[in-house]
Amino acid sequence: MMRKCALTVTVVSVLLALASCEDDSRTKMLSDYHSDFDINYGLFHVYQYDEVNINGIDLASKFDFFNTFRLTLHYTDNEISAVTFDNGDVPFSPYSYEIPSGKVDAYLNTNVLPNELRLTDSEKVIAYYVNGEFSIPFKLDCPSLDYKYTFKSIQQ
């Protein structure tokens, strides 16, 4: 009797779950939903790593020039299609190559982990996307120190 009741409850639960999945209107986008948009990012953290500080020290609040850094992602049809990079007043670049100025074609390579934000023409990596966060690891003059930018969306 107990088995029959448990089986009946299980079957009814499965049928109700399947019936609720038939309405796919909840997964459709509204017709007035914008698929072309921009998201502006500013530096959230600027971590410095070394042998002693393996979790990193956040330097973002220690230097005002980090507030001027901007990264804008441009979306077309809900996918990243271009990037605009502005180093602002930061006196160094996290890249060992020159980033073209203005809006540059880019894409998010989701076939690798971590996902890579790449320039379309040169295939150079601009940033990595991990756990919902964009980051740029880099080195400066001191070989024993590593750095990493992390970003947050900002309102303009």
Side-chain angles (χ1 to χ4, degrees):
M1 178 70 174
M2 187 71 137
R3 277 187 167 172
K4 187 175 182 182
C5 185
L7 181 61
T8 303
V9 168
T10 303
V11 169
V12 169
S13 297
V14 169
L15 290 175
L16 287 173
L18 289 175
S20 67
C21 290
E22 290 178 19
D23 179 21
D24 67 342
S25 65
R26 61 190 161 91
T27 61
K28 291 182 182 174
M29 288 187 168
L30 299 174
S31 60
D32 62 345
Y33 181 77
H34 299 288
S35 62
D36 298 348
F37 55 94
D38 296 340
I39 299 178
N40 297 302
Y41 290 89
L43 286 177
F44 184 51
H45 296 290
V46 180
Y47 290 115
Q48 176 184 302
Y49 300 93
D50 60 29
E51 292 176 4
V52 176
N53 298 301
I54 58 173
N55 292 325
I57 298 170
D58 189 5
L59 304 175
S61 64
K62 304 211 183 321
F63 300 98
D64 289 338
F65 55 72
F66 285 128
N67 293 328
T68 63
F69 180 96
R70 296 290 180 268
L71 181 74
T72 302
L73 297 180
H74 307 280
Y75 288 77
T76 304
D77 297 329
N78 291 318
E79 291 186 7
I80 295 172
S81 59
V83 64
T84 303
F85 178 80
D86 181 3
N87 207 43
D89 295 331
V90 179
F92 53 84
S93 172
Y95 303 108
S96 60
Y97 52 89
E98 179 133 357
I99 297 291
S101 61
K103 189 174 179 180
V104 181
D105 290 340
Y107 69 97
L108 186 64
N109 182 0
T110 58
N111 293 324
V112 295
L113 291 176
N115 297 160
E116 299 169 332
L117 178 61
R118 290 184 166 270
L119 297 176
T120 302
D121 290 341
S122 66
E123 290 293 318
K124 292 188 176 178
V125 175
I126 294 286
Y128 296 95
Y129 185 72
V130 181
N131 297 327
E133 178 178 87
F134 283 98
S135 66
I136 300 174
F138 63 98
K139 291 189 89 47
L140 293 175
D141 293 337
C142 182
S144 64
L145 296 176
D146 293 305
Y147 297 89
K148 181 173 78 170
Y149 286 161
T150 62
F151 305 95
K152 69 176 180 176
S153 175
I154 57 174
Q155 301 295 333
Q156 286 199 355

